[in-house]
Amino acid sequence: GAVLGLDNGPKNLAVALGVPTITLSGPTNHLSFDPHGDPRHLVLRDENLACAPCGRNHCIYNHECMDNISPGRVFNYLQQVLPPLKAAV
């Protein structure tokens, strides 16, 4: 299993318990807590926005930093932290 979440308490608990995580990072600073360099804990964010991370609660740009994270990218990151599925017998 893995935890898919934001940079918040449940994700931080998963990290502390050694559960793989995917963090969707928008306005928060992804460098604040995540264990850097650990392949079990990945951060997914839009690297192309000059405004992110802004640290704001209210966005003047319609939360592009979160909207630009596609389901396909999330799926690709999950495949990196989850073991391969075994075929049913």
PDB file of all heavy atoms in Angstrom, residues 1-6 10-16 18-24 34-35 38-44 77-78 81:
ATOM      1  N   GLY A   1       0.817  -1.184   0.000  1.00  0.00           N
ATOM      2  CA  GLY A   1       0.000   0.000   0.000  1.00  0.00           C
ATOM      3  C   GLY A   1       0.863   1.250   0.000  1.00  0.00           C
ATOM      4  O   GLY A   1       2.070   1.196   0.182  1.00  0.00           O
ATOM      5  N   ALA A   2       0.192   2.346  -0.169  1.00  0.00           N
ATOM      6  CA  ALA A   2       0.830   3.658  -0.162  1.00  0.00           C
ATOM      7  C   ALA A   2      -0.197   4.702   0.251  1.00  0.00           C
ATOM      8  O   ALA A   2      -1.401   4.457   0.163  1.00  0.00           O
ATOM      9  CB  ALA A   2       1.394   4.008  -1.529  1.00  0.00           C
ATOM     10  N   VAL A   3       0.276   5.848   0.681  1.00  0.00           N
ATOM     11  CA  VAL A   3      -0.596   6.970   1.023  1.00  0.00           C
ATOM     12  C   VAL A   3      -0.418   8.050  -0.034  1.00  0.00           C
ATOM     13  O   VAL A   3       0.702   8.474  -0.316  1.00  0.00           O
ATOM     14  CB  VAL A   3      -0.280   7.530   2.425  1.00  0.00           C
ATOM     15  CG1 VAL A   3      -1.026   8.822   2.689  1.00  0.00           C
ATOM     16  CG2 VAL A   3      -0.621   6.496   3.489  1.00  0.00           C
ATOM     17  N   LEU A   4      -1.525   8.442  -0.631  1.00  0.00           N
ATOM     18  CA  LEU A   4      -1.557   9.549  -1.583  1.00  0.00           C
ATOM     19  C   LEU A   4      -2.238  10.696  -0.862  1.00  0.00           C
ATOM     20  O   LEU A   4      -3.376  10.557  -0.414  1.00  0.00           O
ATOM     21  CB  LEU A   4      -2.344   9.156  -2.835  1.00  0.00           C
ATOM     22  CG  LEU A   4      -2.651  10.259  -3.834  1.00  0.00           C
ATOM     23  CD1 LEU A   4      -1.367  10.806  -4.446  1.00  0.00           C
ATOM     24  CD2 LEU A   4      -3.581   9.750  -4.912  1.00  0.00           C
ATOM     25  N   GLY A   5      -1.547  11.815  -0.715  1.00  0.00           N
ATOM     26  CA  GLY A   5      -2.141  12.906   0.043  1.00  0.00           C
ATOM     27  C   GLY A   5      -1.440  14.215  -0.182  1.00  0.00           C
ATOM     28  O   GLY A   5      -0.573  14.360  -1.054  1.00  0.00           O
ATOM     29  N   LEU A   6      -1.840  15.160   0.623  1.00  0.00           N
ATOM     30  CA  LEU A   6      -1.248  16.493   0.615  1.00  0.00           C
ATOM     31  C   LEU A   6      -0.158  16.546   1.672  1.00  0.00           C
ATOM     32  O   LEU A   6       0.060  15.581   2.397  1.00  0.00           O
ATOM     33  CB  LEU A   6      -2.329  17.534   0.882  1.00  0.00           C
ATOM     34  CG  LEU A   6      -3.524  17.477  -0.067  1.00  0.00           C
ATOM     35  CD1 LEU A   6      -4.606  18.437   0.382  1.00  0.00           C
ATOM     36  CD2 LEU A   6      -3.105  17.771  -1.491  1.00  0.00           C
ATOM     37  N   PRO A  10      -1.790  13.225   8.015  1.00  0.00           N
ATOM     38  CA  PRO A  10      -1.819  11.809   7.636  1.00  0.00           C
ATOM     39  C   PRO A  10      -0.615  11.386   6.790  1.00  0.00           C
ATOM     40  O   PRO A  10      -0.067  10.300   6.984  1.00  0.00           O
ATOM     41  CB  PRO A  10      -3.130  11.688   6.842  1.00  0.00           C
ATOM     42  CG  PRO A  10      -4.000  12.758   7.415  1.00  0.00           C
ATOM     43  CD  PRO A  10      -3.057  13.888   7.712  1.00  0.00           C
ATOM     44  N   LYS A  11      -0.178  12.239   5.881  1.00  0.00           N
ATOM     45  CA  LYS A  11       1.001  11.915   5.075  1.00  0.00           C
ATOM     46  C   LYS A  11       2.242  11.852   5.960  1.00  0.00           C
ATOM     47  O   LYS A  11       3.066  10.944   5.835  1.00  0.00           O
ATOM     48  CB  LYS A  11       1.182  12.945   3.959  1.00  0.00           C
ATOM     49  CG  LYS A  11       2.256  12.605   2.927  1.00  0.00           C
ATOM     50  CD  LYS A  11       3.665  13.032   3.265  1.00  0.00           C
ATOM     51  CE  LYS A  11       3.766  14.460   3.666  1.00  0.00           C
ATOM     52  NZ  LYS A  11       5.069  15.060   3.510  1.00  0.00           N
ATOM     53  N   ASN A  12       2.363  12.771   6.893  1.00  0.00           N
ATOM     54  CA  ASN A  12       3.523  12.786   7.782  1.00  0.00           C
ATOM     55  C   ASN A  12       3.543  11.548   8.679  1.00  0.00           C
ATOM     56  O   ASN A  12       4.616  10.992   8.955  1.00  0.00           O
ATOM     57  CB  ASN A  12       3.539  14.060   8.623  1.00  0.00           C
ATOM     58  CG  ASN A  12       3.740  15.300   7.776  1.00  0.00           C
ATOM     59  OD1 ASN A  12       4.193  15.222   6.643  1.00  0.00           O
ATOM     60  ND2 ASN A  12       3.381  16.448   8.312  1.00  0.00           N
ATOM     61  N   LEU A  13       2.376  11.088   9.131  1.00  0.00           N
ATOM     62  CA  LEU A  13       2.310   9.864   9.920  1.00  0.00           C
ATOM     63  C   LEU A  13       2.733   8.656   9.085  1.00  0.00           C
ATOM     64  O   LEU A  13       3.436   7.769   9.571  1.00  0.00           O
ATOM     65  CB  LEU A  13       0.896   9.651  10.462  1.00  0.00           C
ATOM     66  CG  LEU A  13       0.488  10.538  11.631  1.00  0.00           C
ATOM     67  CD1 LEU A  13      -0.994  10.355  11.940  1.00  0.00           C
ATOM     68  CD2 LEU A  13       1.334  10.241  12.852  1.00  0.00           C
ATOM     69  N   ALA A  14       2.303   8.624   7.827  1.00  0.00           N
ATOM     70  CA  ALA A  14       2.698   7.526   6.941  1.00  0.00           C
ATOM     71  C   ALA A  14       4.214   7.486   6.772  1.00  0.00           C
ATOM     72  O   ALA A  14       4.822   6.410   6.805  1.00  0.00           O
ATOM     73  CB  ALA A  14       2.014   7.666   5.583  1.00  0.00           C
ATOM     74  N   VAL A  15       4.824   8.644   6.594  1.00  0.00           N
ATOM     75  CA  VAL A  15       6.284   8.705   6.472  1.00  0.00           C
ATOM     76  C   VAL A  15       6.935   8.167   7.742  1.00  0.00           C
ATOM     77  O   VAL A  15       7.860   7.352   7.681  1.00  0.00           O
ATOM     78  CB  VAL A  15       6.757  10.149   6.177  1.00  0.00           C
ATOM     79  CG1 VAL A  15       8.267  10.254   6.290  1.00  0.00           C
ATOM     80  CG2 VAL A  15       6.299  10.594   4.799  1.00  0.00           C
ATOM     81  N   ALA A  16       6.435   8.587   8.901  1.00  0.00           N
ATOM     82  CA  ALA A  16       7.008   8.148  10.168  1.00  0.00           C
ATOM     83  C   ALA A  16       6.873   6.634  10.357  1.00  0.00           C
ATOM     84  O   ALA A  16       7.729   6.005  10.973  1.00  0.00           O
ATOM     85  CB  ALA A  16       6.332   8.884  11.323  1.00  0.00           C
ATOM     86  N   GLY A  18       6.910   4.477   7.876  1.00  0.00           N
ATOM     87  CA  GLY A  18       7.602   3.788   6.800  1.00  0.00           C
ATOM     88  C   GLY A  18       6.712   3.373   5.642  1.00  0.00           C
ATOM     89  O   GLY A  18       7.118   2.540   4.833  1.00  0.00           O
ATOM     90  N   VAL A  19       5.507   3.920   5.566  1.00  0.00           N
ATOM     91  CA  VAL A  19       4.594   3.609   4.467  1.00  0.00           C
ATOM     92  C   VAL A  19       4.959   4.509   3.282  1.00  0.00           C
ATOM     93  O   VAL A  19       5.134   5.719   3.453  1.00  0.00           O
ATOM     94  CB  VAL A  19       3.131   3.861   4.898  1.00  0.00           C
ATOM     95  CG1 VAL A  19       2.177   3.633   3.731  1.00  0.00           C
ATOM     96  CG2 VAL A  19       2.768   2.973   6.073  1.00  0.00           C
ATOM     97  N   PRO A  20       5.078   3.972   2.078  1.00  0.00           N
ATOM     98  CA  PRO A  20       5.389   4.809   0.915  1.00  0.00           C
ATOM     99  C   PRO A  20       4.330   5.902   0.726  1.00  0.00           C
ATOM    100  O   PRO A  20       3.150   5.685   1.000  1.00  0.00           O
ATOM    101  CB  PRO A  20       5.364   3.827  -0.255  1.00  0.00           C
ATOM    102  CG  PRO A  20       5.645   2.498   0.356  1.00  0.00           C
ATOM    103  CD  PRO A  20       4.998   2.552   1.711  1.00  0.00           C
ATOM    104  N   THR A  21       4.784   7.068   0.263  1.00  0.00           N
ATOM    105  CA  THR A  21       3.867   8.196   0.091  1.00  0.00           C
ATOM    106  C   THR A  21       4.088   8.889  -1.252  1.00  0.00           C
ATOM    107  O   THR A  21       5.191   8.917  -1.782  1.00  0.00           O
ATOM    108  CB  THR A  21       4.044   9.250   1.199  1.00  0.00           C
ATOM    109  OG1 THR A  21       5.380   9.759   1.145  1.00  0.00           O
ATOM    110  CG2 THR A  21       3.760   8.694   2.574  1.00  0.00           C
ATOM    111  N   ILE A  22       3.004   9.449  -1.754  1.00  0.00           N
ATOM    112  CA  ILE A  22       3.027  10.383  -2.871  1.00  0.00           C
ATOM    113  C   ILE A  22       2.394  11.652  -2.337  1.00  0.00           C
ATOM    114  O   ILE A  22       1.238  11.639  -1.902  1.00  0.00           O
ATOM    115  CB  ILE A  22       2.195   9.886  -4.070  1.00  0.00           C
ATOM    116  CG1 ILE A  22       2.645   8.506  -4.519  1.00  0.00           C
ATOM    117  CG2 ILE A  22       2.227  10.905  -5.198  1.00  0.00           C
ATOM    118  CD1 ILE A  22       3.954   8.470  -5.233  1.00  0.00           C
ATOM    119  N   THR A  23       3.125  12.748  -2.341  1.00  0.00           N
ATOM    120  CA  THR A  23       2.609  14.016  -1.849  1.00  0.00           C
ATOM    121  C   THR A  23       2.280  14.920  -3.022  1.00  0.00           C
ATOM    122  O   THR A  23       3.147  15.199  -3.861  1.00  0.00           O
ATOM    123  CB  THR A  23       3.644  14.720  -0.948  1.00  0.00           C
ATOM    124  OG1 THR A  23       3.993  13.839   0.122  1.00  0.00           O
ATOM    125  CG2 THR A  23       3.094  16.018  -0.392  1.00  0.00           C
ATOM    126  N   LEU A  24       1.015  15.368  -3.089  1.00  0.00           N
ATOM    127  CA  LEU A  24       0.620  16.354  -4.078  1.00  0.00           C
ATOM    128  C   LEU A  24       0.937  17.715  -3.488  1.00  0.00           C
ATOM    129  O   LEU A  24       0.350  18.122  -2.496  1.00  0.00           O
ATOM    130  CB  LEU A  24      -0.882  16.233  -4.388  1.00  0.00           C
ATOM    131  CG  LEU A  24      -1.356  14.857  -4.842  1.00  0.00           C
ATOM    132  CD1 LEU A  24      -2.851  14.882  -5.099  1.00  0.00           C
ATOM    133  CD2 LEU A  24      -0.599  14.400  -6.063  1.00  0.00           C
ATOM    134  N   ASP A  34       9.356  16.543   3.773  1.00  0.00           N
ATOM    135  CA  ASP A  34       9.559  15.295   3.048  1.00  0.00           C
ATOM    136  C   ASP A  34      10.993  14.782   3.174  1.00  0.00           C
ATOM    137  O   ASP A  34      11.940  15.546   3.109  1.00  0.00           O
ATOM    138  CB  ASP A  34       9.209  15.477   1.566  1.00  0.00           C
ATOM    139  CG  ASP A  34       7.729  15.665   1.382  1.00  0.00           C
ATOM    140  OD1 ASP A  34       6.977  14.762   1.797  1.00  0.00           O
ATOM    141  OD2 ASP A  34       7.321  16.702   0.863  1.00  0.00           O
ATOM    142  N   PRO A  35      11.133  13.461   3.359  1.00  0.00           N
ATOM    143  CA  PRO A  35      12.472  12.864   3.417  1.00  0.00           C
ATOM    144  C   PRO A  35      13.095  12.863   2.020  1.00  0.00           C
ATOM    145  O   PRO A  35      12.761  12.043   1.180  1.00  0.00           O
ATOM    146  CB  PRO A  35      12.207  11.445   3.928  1.00  0.00           C
ATOM    147  CG  PRO A  35      10.766  11.185   3.650  1.00  0.00           C
ATOM    148  CD  PRO A  35      10.079  12.508   3.582  1.00  0.00           C
ATOM    149  N   ASP A  38      14.608   9.833  -0.648  1.00  0.00           N
ATOM    150  CA  ASP A  38      14.094   8.497  -0.333  1.00  0.00           C
ATOM    151  C   ASP A  38      13.098   8.114  -1.422  1.00  0.00           C
ATOM    152  O   ASP A  38      12.052   8.747  -1.562  1.00  0.00           O
ATOM    153  CB  ASP A  38      13.416   8.507   1.032  1.00  0.00           C
ATOM    154  CG  ASP A  38      13.010   7.116   1.493  1.00  0.00           C
ATOM    155  OD1 ASP A  38      12.780   6.232   0.642  1.00  0.00           O
ATOM    156  OD2 ASP A  38      12.910   6.927   2.720  1.00  0.00           O
ATOM    157  N   PRO A  39      13.374   7.081  -2.213  1.00  0.00           N
ATOM    158  CA  PRO A  39      12.496   6.721  -3.330  1.00  0.00           C
ATOM    159  C   PRO A  39      11.119   6.220  -2.899  1.00  0.00           C
ATOM    160  O   PRO A  39      10.229   6.093  -3.727  1.00  0.00           O
ATOM    161  CB  PRO A  39      13.277   5.634  -4.065  1.00  0.00           C
ATOM    162  CG  PRO A  39      14.206   5.074  -3.060  1.00  0.00           C
ATOM    163  CD  PRO A  39      14.536   6.202  -2.111  1.00  0.00           C
ATOM    164  N   ARG A  40      10.926   5.964  -1.597  1.00  0.00           N
ATOM    165  CA  ARG A  40       9.606   5.546  -1.112  1.00  0.00           C
ATOM    166  C   ARG A  40       8.677   6.732  -0.880  1.00  0.00           C
ATOM    167  O   ARG A  40       7.488   6.550  -0.660  1.00  0.00           O
ATOM    168  CB  ARG A  40       9.732   4.764   0.195  1.00  0.00           C
ATOM    169  CG  ARG A  40      10.484   3.462   0.051  1.00  0.00           C
ATOM    170  CD  ARG A  40      10.735   2.826   1.398  1.00  0.00           C
ATOM    171  NE  ARG A  40      11.445   3.772   2.255  1.00  0.00           N
ATOM    172  CZ  ARG A  40      11.301   3.859   3.566  1.00  0.00           C
ATOM    173  NH1 ARG A  40      10.501   3.049   4.202  1.00  0.00           N
ATOM    174  NH2 ARG A  40      11.990   4.738   4.263  1.00  0.00           N
ATOM    175  N   HIS A  41       9.233   7.951  -0.905  1.00  0.00           N
ATOM    176  CA  HIS A  41       8.436   9.143  -0.607  1.00  0.00           C
ATOM    177  C   HIS A  41       8.653  10.161  -1.717  1.00  0.00           C
ATOM    178  O   HIS A  41       9.669  10.859  -1.754  1.00  0.00           O
ATOM    179  CB  HIS A  41       8.832   9.717   0.750  1.00  0.00           C
ATOM    180  CG  HIS A  41       8.738   8.704   1.856  1.00  0.00           C
ATOM    181  ND1 HIS A  41       7.540   8.213   2.307  1.00  0.00           N
ATOM    182  CD2 HIS A  41       9.700   8.058   2.557  1.00  0.00           C
ATOM    183  CE1 HIS A  41       7.766   7.328   3.264  1.00  0.00           C
ATOM    184  NE2 HIS A  41       9.074   7.220   3.430  1.00  0.00           N
ATOM    185  N   LEU A  42       7.693  10.234  -2.630  1.00  0.00           N
ATOM    186  CA  LEU A  42       7.812  11.102  -3.796  1.00  0.00           C
ATOM    187  C   LEU A  42       6.902  12.315  -3.671  1.00  0.00           C
ATOM    188  O   LEU A  42       5.833  12.251  -3.061  1.00  0.00           O
ATOM    189  CB  LEU A  42       7.465  10.323  -5.065  1.00  0.00           C
ATOM    190  CG  LEU A  42       8.295   9.057  -5.318  1.00  0.00           C
ATOM    191  CD1 LEU A  42       7.808   8.356  -6.580  1.00  0.00           C
ATOM    192  CD2 LEU A  42       9.767   9.393  -5.419  1.00  0.00           C
ATOM    193  N   VAL A  43       7.339  13.420  -4.245  1.00  0.00           N
ATOM    194  CA  VAL A  43       6.557  14.660  -4.263  1.00  0.00           C
ATOM    195  C   VAL A  43       6.203  14.965  -5.705  1.00  0.00           C
ATOM    196  O   VAL A  43       7.070  14.992  -6.576  1.00  0.00           O
ATOM    197  CB  VAL A  43       7.351  15.840  -3.656  1.00  0.00           C
ATOM    198  CG1 VAL A  43       6.554  17.131  -3.753  1.00  0.00           C
ATOM    199  CG2 VAL A  43       7.725  15.539  -2.213  1.00  0.00           C
ATOM    200  N   LEU A  44       4.923  15.199  -5.944  1.00  0.00           N
ATOM    201  CA  LEU A  44       4.433  15.498  -7.277  1.00  0.00           C
ATOM    202  C   LEU A  44       3.970  16.947  -7.288  1.00  0.00           C
ATOM    203  O   LEU A  44       3.091  17.334  -6.528  1.00  0.00           O
ATOM    204  CB  LEU A  44       3.281  14.555  -7.621  1.00  0.00           C
ATOM    205  CG  LEU A  44       2.685  14.622  -9.002  1.00  0.00           C
ATOM    206  CD1 LEU A  44       3.760  14.489 -10.074  1.00  0.00           C
ATOM    207  CD2 LEU A  44       1.661  13.525  -9.173  1.00  0.00           C
ATOM    208  N   TYR A  77       3.490   7.927 -10.710  1.00  0.00           N
ATOM    209  CA  TYR A  77       4.233   7.996  -9.453  1.00  0.00           C
ATOM    210  C   TYR A  77       3.852   6.828  -8.540  1.00  0.00           C
ATOM    211  O   TYR A  77       4.703   6.259  -7.861  1.00  0.00           O
ATOM    212  CB  TYR A  77       3.987   9.332  -8.751  1.00  0.00           C
ATOM    213  CG  TYR A  77       4.946  10.420  -9.148  1.00  0.00           C
ATOM    214  CD1 TYR A  77       5.111  10.784 -10.480  1.00  0.00           C
ATOM    215  CD2 TYR A  77       5.691  11.097  -8.200  1.00  0.00           C
ATOM    216  CE1 TYR A  77       5.991  11.781 -10.847  1.00  0.00           C
ATOM    217  CE2 TYR A  77       6.571  12.102  -8.561  1.00  0.00           C
ATOM    218  CZ  TYR A  77       6.718  12.436  -9.879  1.00  0.00           C
ATOM    219  OH  TYR A  77       7.596  13.431 -10.232  1.00  0.00           O
ATOM    220  N   LEU A  78       2.561   6.466  -8.509  1.00  0.00           N
ATOM    221  CA  LEU A  78       2.144   5.331  -7.688  1.00  0.00           C
ATOM    222  C   LEU A  78       2.822   4.049  -8.151  1.00  0.00           C
ATOM    223  O   LEU A  78       3.216   3.222  -7.330  1.00  0.00           O
ATOM    224  CB  LEU A  78       0.623   5.170  -7.734  1.00  0.00           C
ATOM    225  CG  LEU A  78      -0.165   6.120  -6.849  1.00  0.00           C
ATOM    226  CD1 LEU A  78      -1.653   6.040  -7.166  1.00  0.00           C
ATOM    227  CD2 LEU A  78       0.086   5.841  -5.377  1.00  0.00           C
ATOM    228  N   VAL A  81       6.218   3.597  -6.470  1.00  0.00           N
ATOM    229  CA  VAL A  81       6.355   3.248  -5.052  1.00  0.00           C
ATOM    230  C   VAL A  81       5.655   1.946  -4.682  1.00  0.00           C
ATOM    231  O   VAL A  81       5.933   1.383  -3.628  1.00  0.00           O
ATOM    232  CB  VAL A  81       5.858   4.373  -4.114  1.00  0.00           C
ATOM    233  CG1 VAL A  81       6.675   5.625  -4.308  1.00  0.00           C
ATOM    234  CG2 VAL A  81       4.378   4.635  -4.283  1.00  0.00           C
TER     235      VAL A  81
END
